[in-house]
Amino acid sequence: MAITDIKAFAHLTEADIEMLGQELDAIRRSVELSRGERDAKYIRRTIAAQRGLEVAGRAILFGSRNRWAWLTGTALLSVAKIVENMELGHNISHGQWDWMNDPEIHSTNWEWDQTGPSSQWRRAHNYSHHTYTNVLGKDEDLGFGILRMTRDEPWRRVHLVQPVANLILAATFEWGIALHDWDAEKELSGHPKKWNSEPNKEFARKAARQVAKDFVFYPALTGPAWKSTLKANATANLARNLWAYAVIFCGHFPDGAEKFTVEQLDGETSGEWYLRQMLGSANFKAGPAMAFMSGNLCYQIEHHLFPDLPSNRYAEVAVKVRELCDKYDLPYTTGSLGKQYLLAFRTIHKLALPDKFLKRTADDAPETSSERKFAGITLPSLPTAAQMQETWHDTHIIPVDPATGQRYGLRSAMQEARVVLKAKAKHEKEVLREARRALKEKARQEKQMLREAGVALQERARHEQETLRHKPFWAKATRRFG
């Protein structure tokens, strides 16, 4: 089962979590107090650059019957769509620039270049996903309703095709998001089955407008080059979909992005909410260009902690968050883009199989673990579960290395647990091997005994036959007639 008690899993006391929450609040305040002209210039320049790229790309596509013009125009249009989706549409709709009070760059007015209406995305994503991040049964982004991403979700036959479903989702990601948000909107509105409900009409209007723009209006505008322009638009949409899919999956599904049960929500404090966002998200390493192209969602941990702070500040926030992770000995899940995606890709394919083919459990799997991971094992530098219950939590004493002053927490526990569990698995494997060897020896001995018994019986039968053959004639006759 996924995490039910985040305090026990994080190896932190209530006082620690409260202090951690206060320190994160301080980071938020420092950014809010320092927002200003520099940040406003950043978003305005980004909008201007994105529009320049799109205009240039569409202008070049007038000559798209020429191969190089097609390639150049398609590349510029792809970049423009990616920037609009990641750095503008996503972040502005989060309200990251509402503080500017600019009606154009405001979450309530921005309509992004995607199939689904921004308003439906804001409610489904901003509310459901960011409030209930990675909580089973509450966060619909956990597998987007079609992928099984944790063993806490029961396996069904349909999961066998999830590798194929994953490819389709990646190629049509904007439609996947749009349909997902549309469903959520219908549920929230309380009219899920009315064909003429407002969510249905809003979705139909936006989808029709988007399809007409990319596949009718702009191709028709280029006249004789309409076919190549249509292909260019489809290619740019595909490139944007694949990139957005990769960024989102690297932020939520690599190993270390933990899942939670609804029990964790009972009485959850603001400090625990912060902690859940930290443990439920993952970053990937990126330079300035890749960070920009990802909408700074390479800093997914920081984004989940502060979804409405300007994205251009996440890099400096990340330095402070990492310092806090070091202070409280918490993991800071990150890796290269390729590594993070391969871990998510492995989970998608692995969990397509029934549980009987999987080695680990929901408590100890690399993609999902829980506080039960530490049950039954003793870690060298940490108190036992009983000590934690009786002393550690009561006295708020945190184990500290007297030599270095370093706290022992979840990060140390995870590292030591890997070693202990590996040794435990090795020991159990050796015990199993010994048991198998003993059974094999016992079977060999029993086989030998059976063989010897058979030989003895054959010898006895032969002896009796020999004895009978040499008895006197009168004895045989007496036996026959007497």
Side-chain angles (χ1 to χ4, degrees), residues 113-131:
D113 183 31
Q114 283 224 120
T115 309
S118 291
S119 57
Q120 293 188 357
W121 179 85
R122 282 196 298 272
R123 281 186 283 273
H125 182 86
N126 284 3
Y127 173 69
S128 298
H129 174 57
H130 276 270
T131 303

Side-chain angles (χ1 to χ4, degrees), residues 84-357:
E84 198 286 331
N85 187 196
M86 307 303 293
E87 185 65 323
L88 298 180
H90 176 271
N91 294 337
I92 291 173
S93 295
H94 261 296
Q96 294 182 5
W97 309 94
D98 286 1
W99 57 274
M100 292 168 59
N101 292 318
D102 183 331
E104 184 194 8
I105 315 171
H106 199 277
S107 61
T108 56
N109 296 330
W110 191 272
E111 188 59 51
W112 63 357
D113 183 31
Q114 283 224 120
T115 309
S118 291
S119 57
Q120 293 188 357
W121 179 85
R122 282 196 298 272
R123 281 186 283 273
H125 182 86
N126 284 3
Y127 173 69
S128 298
H129 174 57
H130 276 270
T131 303
Y132 301 112
T133 307
N134 284 13
V135 176
L136 295 163
K138 300 289 283 186
D139 181 6
E140 298 294 336
D141 281 22
L142 193 50
F144 296 98
I146 60 172
L147 300 178
R148 181 183 182 233
M149 300 305 291
T150 168
R151 297 169 205 219
D152 290 287
E153 182 182 349
W155 181 84
R156 291 175 290 140
R157 287 185 181 178
V158 70
H159 292 129
L160 286 171
V161 300
Q162 80 174 23
V164 178
N166 176 55
L167 292 177
I168 296 172
L169 177 65
T172 60
F173 197 57
E174 66 169 318
W175 281 97
I177 296 295
L179 294 172
H180 168 269
D181 298 340
W182 181 30
D183 275 344
E185 181 69 17
K186 286 190 290 184
E187 290 295 333
L188 287 171
S189 69
H191 303 291
K193 294 183 180 177
K194 285 188 176 179
W195 68 271
N196 62 345
S197 65
E198 189 54 37
N200 286 357
K201 289 191 284 188
E202 187 180 19
F203 177 83
R205 281 195 297 267
K206 179 63 192 295
R209 191 163 61 244
Q210 194 70 16
V211 170
K213 178 176 75 73
D214 277 337
F215 300 110
V216 178
F217 177 72
Y218 279 118
L221 205 61
T222 56
W226 70 271
K227 279 187 180 177
S228 53
T229 302
L230 189 147
K231 290 178 185 174
N233 285 354
T235 304
N237 279 350
L238 177 64
R240 185 268 317 277
N241 287 346
L242 294 175
W243 177 245
Y245 154 87
V247 169
I248 297 304
F249 271 58
C250 286
H252 293 93
F253 302 125
D255 295 1
E258 305 294 351
K259 319 301 183 300
F260 308 85
T261 64
V262 290
E263 287 84 353
Q264 168 54 34
L265 297 176
D266 291 340
E268 186 178 65
T269 65
S270 62
E272 290 177 359
W273 182 88
Y274 271 133
L275 187 55
R276 179 158 56 80
Q277 306 303 321
M278 293 173 77
L279 299 178
S281 309
N283 286 4
F284 62 85
K285 296 172 183 172
M290 188 185 288
F292 177 73
M293 293 300 288
S294 73
N296 283 289
L297 291 179
C298 56
Y299 301 106
Q300 190 71 236
I301 295 172
E302 288 71 21
H303 172 61
H304 263 269
L305 288 170
F306 311 112
D308 56 349
L309 290 185
S311 59
N312 62 318
R313 307 294 289 274
Y314 283 156
E316 64 185 70
V317 170
V319 175
K320 297 175 181 176
V321 171
R322 290 199 77 147
E323 289 174 354
L324 282 181
C325 287
D326 289 339
K327 179 179 178 180
Y328 290 93
D329 199 20
L330 291 169
Y332 187 83
T333 305
T334 189
S336 68
L337 178 71
K339 177 191 169 188
Q340 298 297 76
Y341 181 70
L342 284 176
L343 289 172
F345 188 76
R346 182 207 59 194
T347 298
I348 291 166
H349 287 71
K350 189 171 63 178
L351 296 190
L353 299 172
D355 290 344
K356 64 182 179 182
F357 293 110

Side-chain angles (χ1 to χ4, degrees), residues 18 52 113 119 126 176 207 225 326 332 384 414 428 442 452 473 480:
E18 176 66 22
D113 183 31
S119 57
N126 284 3
D326 289 339
Y332 187 83
T384 64
M414 297 285 270
E428 289 174 348
K442 186 179 178 184
E452 291 174 358
F473 173 76
R480 182 176 298 175

